[in-house]
PDB file of all heavy atoms in Angstrom:
ATOM      1  N   ALA A1335       6.836 -14.816  -7.199  1.00  0.00           N
ATOM      2  CA  ALA A1335       5.452 -14.227  -7.364  1.00  0.00           C
ATOM      3  C   ALA A1335       5.105 -13.322  -6.231  1.00  0.00           C
ATOM      4  O   ALA A1335       4.531 -12.250  -6.364  1.00  0.00           O
ATOM      5  CB  ALA A1335       4.530 -15.346  -7.565  1.00  0.00           C
ATOM      6  N   ASN A1336       5.529 -13.701  -5.001  1.00  0.00           N
ATOM      7  CA  ASN A1336       5.136 -12.905  -3.849  1.00  0.00           C
ATOM      8  C   ASN A1336       5.942 -11.599  -3.765  1.00  0.00           C
ATOM      9  O   ASN A1336       5.409 -10.538  -3.309  1.00  0.00           O
ATOM     10  CB  ASN A1336       5.339 -13.824  -2.536  1.00  0.00           C
ATOM     11  CG  ASN A1336       6.886 -14.125  -2.268  1.00  0.00           C
ATOM     12  OD1 ASN A1336       7.461 -14.718  -3.086  1.00  0.00           O
ATOM     13  ND2 ASN A1336       7.395 -13.731  -1.199  1.00  0.00           N
ATOM     14  N   LYS A1337       7.162 -11.483  -4.322  1.00  0.00           N
ATOM     15  CA  LYS A1337       7.704 -10.293  -4.250  1.00  0.00           C
ATOM     16  C   LYS A1337       7.121  -9.360  -5.398  1.00  0.00           C
ATOM     17  O   LYS A1337       6.973  -8.115  -5.053  1.00  0.00           O
ATOM     18  CB  LYS A1337       9.270 -10.495  -4.881  1.00  0.00           C
ATOM     19  CG  LYS A1337      10.286 -11.076  -3.674  1.00  0.00           C
ATOM     20  CD  LYS A1337      11.678 -11.247  -4.231  1.00  0.00           C
ATOM     21  CE  LYS A1337      12.535 -11.812  -3.255  1.00  0.00           C
ATOM     22  NZ  LYS A1337      13.999 -11.849  -3.685  1.00  0.00           N
ATOM     23  N   VAL A1338       6.868  -9.872  -6.412  1.00  0.00           N
ATOM     24  CA  VAL A1338       6.092  -9.113  -7.528  1.00  0.00           C
ATOM     25  C   VAL A1338       4.654  -8.688  -6.959  1.00  0.00           C
ATOM     26  O   VAL A1338       4.415  -7.483  -7.132  1.00  0.00           O
ATOM     27  CB  VAL A1338       5.837  -9.938  -8.756  1.00  0.00           C
ATOM     28  CG1 VAL A1338       4.946  -9.238  -9.794  1.00  0.00           C
ATOM     29  CG2 VAL A1338       7.109 -10.461  -9.370  1.00  0.00           C
ATOM     30  N   SER A1339       4.006  -9.471  -6.329  1.00  0.00           N
ATOM     31  CA  SER A1339       2.569  -9.071  -5.757  1.00  0.00           C
ATOM     32  C   SER A1339       2.753  -7.921  -4.771  1.00  0.00           C
ATOM     33  O   SER A1339       2.014  -6.975  -4.882  1.00  0.00           O
ATOM     34  CB  SER A1339       2.013 -10.223  -5.126  1.00  0.00           C
ATOM     35  OG  SER A1339       1.784 -11.307  -6.014  1.00  0.00           O
ATOM     36  N   ILE A1340       3.831  -7.985  -3.806  1.00  0.00           N
ATOM     37  CA  ILE A1340       3.962  -6.919  -2.824  1.00  0.00           C
ATOM     38  C   ILE A1340       4.282  -5.612  -3.558  1.00  0.00           C
ATOM     39  O   ILE A1340       3.727  -4.544  -3.219  1.00  0.00           O
ATOM     40  CB  ILE A1340       4.999  -7.239  -1.945  1.00  0.00           C
ATOM     41  CG1 ILE A1340       4.476  -8.458  -0.960  1.00  0.00           C
ATOM     42  CG2 ILE A1340       5.319  -6.184  -1.043  1.00  0.00           C
ATOM     43  CD1 ILE A1340       5.497  -9.087  -0.102  1.00  0.00           C
ATOM     44  N   ILE A1341       5.177  -5.651  -4.601  1.00  0.00           N
ATOM     45  CA  ILE A1341       5.566  -4.452  -5.209  1.00  0.00           C
ATOM     46  C   ILE A1341       4.306  -3.783  -6.072  1.00  0.00           C
ATOM     47  O   ILE A1341       4.107  -2.584  -5.942  1.00  0.00           O
ATOM     48  CB  ILE A1341       6.770  -4.730  -6.185  1.00  0.00           C
ATOM     49  CG1 ILE A1341       8.026  -5.016  -5.425  1.00  0.00           C
ATOM     50  CG2 ILE A1341       7.074  -3.463  -7.075  1.00  0.00           C
ATOM     51  CD1 ILE A1341       9.140  -5.538  -6.305  1.00  0.00           C
ATOM     52  N   VAL A1342       3.627  -4.668  -6.793  1.00  0.00           N
ATOM     53  CA  VAL A1342       2.456  -4.191  -7.459  1.00  0.00           C
ATOM     54  C   VAL A1342       1.461  -3.732  -6.590  1.00  0.00           C
ATOM     55  O   VAL A1342       0.808  -2.687  -6.864  1.00  0.00           O
ATOM     56  CB  VAL A1342       1.997  -5.292  -8.418  1.00  0.00           C
ATOM     57  CG1 VAL A1342       0.684  -4.929  -8.985  1.00  0.00           C
ATOM     58  CG2 VAL A1342       3.015  -5.639  -9.536  1.00  0.00           C
ATOM     59  N   LEU A1343       1.240  -4.321  -5.358  1.00  0.00           N
ATOM     60  CA  LEU A1343       0.296  -3.849  -4.420  1.00  0.00           C
ATOM     61  C   LEU A1343       0.530  -2.450  -3.966  1.00  0.00           C
ATOM     62  O   LEU A1343      -0.410  -1.809  -3.369  1.00  0.00           O
ATOM     63  CB  LEU A1343       0.308  -4.722  -3.193  1.00  0.00           C
ATOM     64  CG  LEU A1343      -0.787  -6.044  -3.203  1.00  0.00           C
ATOM     65  CD1 LEU A1343      -0.596  -6.874  -2.131  1.00  0.00           C
ATOM     66  CD2 LEU A1343      -2.173  -5.357  -3.272  1.00  0.00           C
ATOM     67  N   LEU A1344       1.702  -1.839  -4.044  1.00  0.00           N
ATOM     68  CA  LEU A1344       1.975  -0.564  -3.697  1.00  0.00           C
ATOM     69  C   LEU A1344       1.496   0.575  -4.739  1.00  0.00           C
ATOM     70  O   LEU A1344       1.644   1.654  -4.438  1.00  0.00           O
ATOM     71  CB  LEU A1344       3.490  -0.508  -3.476  1.00  0.00           C
ATOM     72  CG  LEU A1344       4.135  -1.335  -2.412  1.00  0.00           C
ATOM     73  CD1 LEU A1344       5.619  -1.166  -2.252  1.00  0.00           C
ATOM     74  CD2 LEU A1344       3.563  -1.144  -1.045  1.00  0.00           C
ATOM     75  N   ASN A1345       1.014   0.117  -5.899  1.00  0.00           N
ATOM     76  CA  ASN A1345       0.452   1.099  -6.819  1.00  0.00           C
ATOM     77  C   ASN A1345      -0.487   2.204  -6.271  1.00  0.00           C
ATOM     78  O   ASN A1345      -0.505   3.250  -6.693  1.00  0.00           O
ATOM     79  CB  ASN A1345       0.013   0.385  -8.126  1.00  0.00           C
ATOM     80  CG  ASN A1345      -1.316  -0.136  -7.845  1.00  0.00           C
ATOM     81  OD1 ASN A1345      -2.435   0.368  -7.986  1.00  0.00           O
ATOM     82  ND2 ASN A1345      -1.393  -1.467  -7.667  1.00  0.00           N
ATOM     83  N   PRO A1346      -1.370   1.746  -5.297  1.00  0.00           N
ATOM     84  CA  PRO A1346      -2.322   2.946  -4.826  1.00  0.00           C
ATOM     85  C   PRO A1346      -1.476   4.015  -4.118  1.00  0.00           C
ATOM     86  O   PRO A1346      -1.986   5.199  -4.087  1.00  0.00           O
ATOM     87  CB  PRO A1346      -3.117   2.134  -3.813  1.00  0.00           C
ATOM     88  CG  PRO A1346      -3.113   0.750  -4.131  1.00  0.00           C
ATOM     89  CD  PRO A1346      -1.753   0.430  -4.772  1.00  0.00           C
ATOM     90  N   MET A1347      -0.299   3.796  -3.594  1.00  0.00           N
ATOM     91  CA  MET A1347       0.526   4.782  -2.993  1.00  0.00           C
ATOM     92  C   MET A1347       0.923   5.845  -4.013  1.00  0.00           C
ATOM     93  O   MET A1347       1.009   7.002  -3.717  1.00  0.00           O
ATOM     94  CB  MET A1347       1.818   4.145  -2.271  1.00  0.00           C
ATOM     95  CG  MET A1347       1.309   3.288  -0.993  1.00  0.00           C
ATOM     96  SD  MET A1347       2.922   2.665  -0.238  1.00  0.00           S
ATOM     97  CE  MET A1347       3.809   4.149   0.213  1.00  0.00           C
ATOM     98  N   ILE A1348       1.300   5.275  -5.269  1.00  0.00           N
ATOM     99  CA  ILE A1348       1.631   6.184  -6.391  1.00  0.00           C
ATOM    100  C   ILE A1348       0.403   7.155  -6.659  1.00  0.00           C
ATOM    101  O   ILE A1348       0.689   8.323  -6.891  1.00  0.00           O
ATOM    102  CB  ILE A1348       2.073   5.307  -7.603  1.00  0.00           C
ATOM    103  CG1 ILE A1348       3.293   4.591  -7.149  1.00  0.00           C
ATOM    104  CG2 ILE A1348       2.289   6.265  -8.741  1.00  0.00           C
ATOM    105  CD1 ILE A1348       3.665   3.513  -8.310  1.00  0.00           C
ATOM    106  N   THR A1349      -0.841   6.471  -6.716  1.00  0.00           N
ATOM    107  CA  THR A1349      -1.915   7.277  -7.017  1.00  0.00           C
ATOM    108  C   THR A1349      -2.222   8.348  -5.997  1.00  0.00           C
ATOM    109  O   THR A1349      -2.498   9.508  -6.270  1.00  0.00           O
ATOM    110  CB  THR A1349      -3.231   6.354  -7.162  1.00  0.00           C
ATOM    111  OG1 THR A1349      -2.878   5.264  -8.031  1.00  0.00           O
ATOM    112  CG2 THR A1349      -4.360   7.117  -7.680  1.00  0.00           C
ATOM    113  N   PHE A1350      -2.195   7.924  -4.685  1.00  0.00           N
ATOM    114  CA  PHE A1350      -2.462   8.911  -3.569  1.00  0.00           C
ATOM    115  C   PHE A1350      -1.449  10.100  -3.621  1.00  0.00           C
ATOM    116  O   PHE A1350      -1.816  11.171  -3.509  1.00  0.00           O
ATOM    117  CB  PHE A1350      -2.289   8.140  -2.150  1.00  0.00           C
ATOM    118  CG  PHE A1350      -3.552   7.346  -1.743  1.00  0.00           C
ATOM    119  CD1 PHE A1350      -4.083   6.296  -2.432  1.00  0.00           C
ATOM    120  CD2 PHE A1350      -4.344   7.969  -0.732  1.00  0.00           C
ATOM    121  CE1 PHE A1350      -5.138   5.652  -2.041  1.00  0.00           C
ATOM    122  CE2 PHE A1350      -5.493   7.406  -0.424  1.00  0.00           C
ATOM    123  CZ  PHE A1350      -5.990   6.220  -0.955  1.00  0.00           C
ATOM    124  N   ILE A1351      -0.141   9.634  -3.770  1.00  0.00           N
ATOM    125  CA  ILE A1351       0.778  10.657  -3.726  1.00  0.00           C
ATOM    126  C   ILE A1351       0.780  11.665  -4.952  1.00  0.00           C
ATOM    127  O   ILE A1351       0.891  12.977  -4.745  1.00  0.00           O
ATOM    128  CB  ILE A1351       2.336  10.089  -3.737  1.00  0.00           C
ATOM    129  CG1 ILE A1351       2.596   9.322  -2.428  1.00  0.00           C
ATOM    130  CG2 ILE A1351       3.440  11.112  -3.889  1.00  0.00           C
ATOM    131  CD1 ILE A1351       3.832   8.430  -2.394  1.00  0.00           C
ATOM    132  N   THR A1352       0.535  11.085  -6.061  1.00  0.00           N
ATOM    133  CA  THR A1352       0.402  11.851  -7.310  1.00  0.00           C
ATOM    134  C   THR A1352      -0.821  12.751  -7.140  1.00  0.00           C
ATOM    135  O   THR A1352      -0.836  14.054  -7.570  1.00  0.00           O
ATOM    136  CB  THR A1352       0.272  10.993  -8.547  1.00  0.00           C
ATOM    137  OG1 THR A1352       1.367  10.106  -8.599  1.00  0.00           O
ATOM    138  CG2 THR A1352       0.132  11.941  -9.805  1.00  0.00           C
ATOM    139  N   MET A1353      -1.930  12.239  -6.750  1.00  0.00           N
ATOM    140  CA  MET A1353      -3.147  13.243  -6.535  1.00  0.00           C
ATOM    141  C   MET A1353      -2.901  14.207  -5.476  1.00  0.00           C
ATOM    142  O   MET A1353      -3.450  15.487  -5.655  1.00  0.00           O
ATOM    143  CB  MET A1353      -4.310  12.269  -6.220  1.00  0.00           C
ATOM    144  CG  MET A1353      -4.884  11.409  -7.223  1.00  0.00           C
ATOM    145  SD  MET A1353      -5.407  12.255  -8.727  1.00  0.00           S
ATOM    146  CE  MET A1353      -6.749  13.250  -8.181  1.00  0.00           C
ATOM    147  N   GLY A1354      -2.140  13.877  -4.466  1.00  0.00           N
ATOM    148  CA  GLY A1354      -1.773  14.892  -3.480  1.00  0.00           C
ATOM    149  C   GLY A1354      -0.990  16.076  -4.014  1.00  0.00           C
ATOM    150  O   GLY A1354      -1.205  17.241  -3.776  1.00  0.00           O
ATOM    151  N   ILE A1355      -0.035  15.555  -4.905  1.00  0.00           N
ATOM    152  CA  ILE A1355       0.830  16.681  -5.633  1.00  0.00           C
ATOM    153  C   ILE A1355      -0.052  17.563  -6.567  1.00  0.00           C
ATOM    154  O   ILE A1355       0.135  18.798  -6.551  1.00  0.00           O
ATOM    155  CB  ILE A1355       1.965  16.025  -6.330  1.00  0.00           C
ATOM    156  CG1 ILE A1355       2.875  15.336  -5.442  1.00  0.00           C
ATOM    157  CG2 ILE A1355       2.642  17.021  -7.242  1.00  0.00           C
ATOM    158  CD1 ILE A1355       3.972  14.468  -6.116  1.00  0.00           C
ATOM    159  N   LEU A1356      -0.918  17.069  -7.283  1.00  0.00           N
ATOM    160  CA  LEU A1356      -1.815  17.742  -8.153  1.00  0.00           C
ATOM    161  C   LEU A1356      -2.747  18.685  -7.464  1.00  0.00           C
ATOM    162  O   LEU A1356      -2.973  19.717  -7.896  1.00  0.00           O
ATOM    163  CB  LEU A1356      -2.624  16.664  -9.055  1.00  0.00           C
ATOM    164  CG  LEU A1356      -1.916  15.868 -10.045  1.00  0.00           C
ATOM    165  CD1 LEU A1356      -2.721  14.866 -10.725  1.00  0.00           C
ATOM    166  CD2 LEU A1356      -1.118  16.694 -11.098  1.00  0.00           C
ATOM    167  N   ALA A1357      -3.201  18.163  -6.234  1.00  0.00           N
ATOM    168  CA  ALA A1357      -4.148  19.110  -5.424  1.00  0.00           C
ATOM    169  C   ALA A1357      -3.340  20.250  -4.991  1.00  0.00           C
ATOM    170  O   ALA A1357      -3.705  21.487  -4.796  1.00  0.00           O
ATOM    171  CB  ALA A1357      -4.679  18.262  -4.268  1.00  0.00           C
ATOM    172  N   TRP A1358      -1.897  19.935  -4.508  1.00  0.00           N
ATOM    173  CA  TRP A1358      -1.073  21.094  -4.083  1.00  0.00           C
ATOM    174  C   TRP A1358      -0.807  22.079  -5.148  1.00  0.00           C
ATOM    175  O   TRP A1358      -0.648  23.397  -4.926  1.00  0.00           O
ATOM    176  CB  TRP A1358       0.268  20.417  -3.499  1.00  0.00           C
ATOM    177  CG  TRP A1358       1.281  21.460  -3.121  1.00  0.00           C
ATOM    178  CD1 TRP A1358       1.056  22.159  -1.941  1.00  0.00           C
ATOM    179  CD2 TRP A1358       2.407  21.801  -3.650  1.00  0.00           C
ATOM    180  NE1 TRP A1358       2.219  22.959  -1.836  1.00  0.00           N
ATOM    181  CE2 TRP A1358       3.054  22.778  -2.941  1.00  0.00           C
ATOM    182  CE3 TRP A1358       3.010  21.443  -4.847  1.00  0.00           C
ATOM    183  CZ2 TRP A1358       4.233  23.413  -3.257  1.00  0.00           C
ATOM    184  CZ3 TRP A1358       4.378  21.905  -5.188  1.00  0.00           C
ATOM    185  CH2 TRP A1358       4.933  22.973  -4.397  1.00  0.00           C
ATOM    186  N   LEU A1359      -0.662  21.586  -6.412  1.00  0.00           N
ATOM    187  CA  LEU A1359      -0.464  22.387  -7.584  1.00  0.00           C
ATOM    188  C   LEU A1359      -1.633  23.091  -7.983  1.00  0.00           C
ATOM    189  O   LEU A1359      -1.601  23.972  -8.885  1.00  0.00           O
ATOM    190  CB  LEU A1359       0.149  21.601  -8.675  1.00  0.00           C
ATOM    191  CG  LEU A1359       1.499  21.117  -8.527  1.00  0.00           C
ATOM    192  CD1 LEU A1359       1.889  20.075  -9.631  1.00  0.00           C
ATOM    193  CD2 LEU A1359       2.634  22.141  -8.298  1.00  0.00           C
ATOM    194  N   ASN A1360      -2.841  22.712  -7.487  1.00  0.00           N
ATOM    195  CA  ASN A1360      -4.183  23.277  -7.816  1.00  0.00           C
ATOM    196  C   ASN A1360      -4.384  23.219  -9.288  1.00  0.00           C
ATOM    197  O   ASN A1360      -4.964  24.182  -9.902  1.00  0.00           O
ATOM    198  CB  ASN A1360      -4.198  24.673  -7.330  1.00  0.00           C
ATOM    199  CG  ASN A1360      -5.633  25.326  -7.257  1.00  0.00           C
ATOM    200  OD1 ASN A1360      -6.569  24.376  -7.054  1.00  0.00           O
ATOM    201  ND2 ASN A1360      -5.870  26.497  -7.366  1.00  0.00           N
ATOM    202  N   VAL A1361      -4.188  22.005  -9.894  1.00  0.00           N
ATOM    203  CA  VAL A1361      -4.561  21.886 -11.333  1.00  0.00           C
ATOM    204  C   VAL A1361      -6.100  21.869 -11.545  1.00  0.00           C
ATOM    205  O   VAL A1361      -6.774  21.495 -10.654  1.00  0.00           O
ATOM    206  CB  VAL A1361      -3.903  20.622 -11.850  1.00  0.00           C
ATOM    207  CG1 VAL A1361      -2.418  20.599 -11.701  1.00  0.00           C
ATOM    208  CG2 VAL A1361      -4.513  19.390 -11.153  1.00  0.00           C
ATOM    209  N   SER A1362      -6.512  22.313 -12.724  1.00  0.00           N
ATOM    210  CA  SER A1362      -7.882  22.368 -13.025  1.00  0.00           C
ATOM    211  C   SER A1362      -8.388  21.196 -13.889  1.00  0.00           C
ATOM    212  O   SER A1362      -9.578  21.034 -14.051  1.00  0.00           O
ATOM    213  CB  SER A1362      -8.173  23.707 -13.786  1.00  0.00           C
ATOM    214  OG  SER A1362      -7.389  23.747 -14.979  1.00  0.00           O
ATOM    215  N   TRP A1363      -7.563  20.348 -14.384  1.00  0.00           N
ATOM    216  CA  TRP A1363      -7.835  19.320 -15.314  1.00  0.00           C
ATOM    217  C   TRP A1363      -8.287  18.028 -14.583  1.00  0.00           C
ATOM    218  O   TRP A1363      -8.598  16.947 -15.205  1.00  0.00           O
ATOM    219  CB  TRP A1363      -6.864  19.076 -16.322  1.00  0.00           C
ATOM    220  CG  TRP A1363      -5.441  19.034 -15.860  1.00  0.00           C
ATOM    221  CD1 TRP A1363      -4.579  20.209 -15.905  1.00  0.00           C
ATOM    222  CD2 TRP A1363      -4.725  17.959 -15.447  1.00  0.00           C
ATOM    223  NE1 TRP A1363      -3.479  19.805 -15.374  1.00  0.00           N
ATOM    224  CE2 TRP A1363      -3.431  18.502 -15.115  1.00  0.00           C
ATOM    225  CE3 TRP A1363      -5.021  16.608 -15.187  1.00  0.00           C
ATOM    226  CZ2 TRP A1363      -2.414  17.602 -14.591  1.00  0.00           C
ATOM    227  CZ3 TRP A1363      -4.001  15.741 -14.672  1.00  0.00           C
ATOM    228  CH2 TRP A1363      -2.667  16.306 -14.458  1.00  0.00           C
ATOM    229  N   VAL A1364      -8.122  17.967 -13.340  1.00  0.00           N
ATOM    230  CA  VAL A1364      -8.601  16.761 -12.611  1.00  0.00           C
ATOM    231  C   VAL A1364      -9.197  17.225 -11.168  1.00  0.00           C
ATOM    232  O   VAL A1364      -8.611  18.092 -10.494  1.00  0.00           O
ATOM    233  CB  VAL A1364      -7.480  15.681 -12.387  1.00  0.00           C
ATOM    234  CG1 VAL A1364      -6.368  16.258 -11.529  1.00  0.00           C
ATOM    235  CG2 VAL A1364      -7.965  14.432 -11.903  1.00  0.00           C
ATOM    236  N   GLU A1365     -10.295  16.558 -10.721  1.00  0.00           N
ATOM    237  CA  GLU A1365     -10.941  16.928  -9.512  1.00  0.00           C
ATOM    238  C   GLU A1365     -10.040  16.503  -8.269  1.00  0.00           C
ATOM    239  O   GLU A1365      -9.446  15.328  -8.413  1.00  0.00           O
ATOM    240  CB  GLU A1365     -12.263  16.258  -9.423  1.00  0.00           C
ATOM    241  CG  GLU A1365     -13.104  16.711  -8.254  1.00  0.00           C
ATOM    242  CD  GLU A1365     -14.426  15.940  -8.095  1.00  0.00           C
ATOM    243  OE1 GLU A1365     -14.775  15.272  -9.238  1.00  0.00           O
ATOM    244  OE2 GLU A1365     -15.201  15.969  -7.218  1.00  0.00           O
ATOM    245  N   ASN A1366      -9.938  17.376  -7.353  1.00  0.00           N
ATOM    246  CA  ASN A1366      -9.152  17.104  -6.164  1.00  0.00           C
ATOM    247  C   ASN A1366      -9.796  15.949  -5.350  1.00  0.00           C
ATOM    248  O   ASN A1366     -11.125  15.715  -5.345  1.00  0.00           O
ATOM    249  CB  ASN A1366      -9.042  18.324  -5.247  1.00  0.00           C
ATOM    250  CG  ASN A1366      -8.117  19.385  -5.850  1.00  0.00           C
ATOM    251  OD1 ASN A1366      -7.302  18.915  -6.720  1.00  0.00           O
ATOM    252  ND2 ASN A1366      -8.321  20.476  -5.405  1.00  0.00           N
TER     253      ASN A1366
END
């Protein structure tokens, strides 16, 4: 369970990185 918890806890990094890429691409369909 602790391995699973640590991996799942990293999901904000996916959001941060993805939002950074979208901001770099200057998309209009989501706010920076």
Side-chain angles (χ1 to χ4, degrees):
N1336 61 306
K1337 287 184 181 179
V1338 175
S1339 298
I1340 291 173
I1341 294 171
V1342 174
L1343 266 173
L1344 299 177
N1345 75 83
M1347 293 179 61
I1348 298 173
T1349 308
F1350 274 74
I1351 293 171
T1352 304
M1353 289 301 295
I1355 293 173
L1356 293 176
W1358 178 70
L1359 294 174
N1360 198 28
V1361 300
S1362 59
W1363 41 268
V1364 66
E1365 184 181 351
N1366 290 339

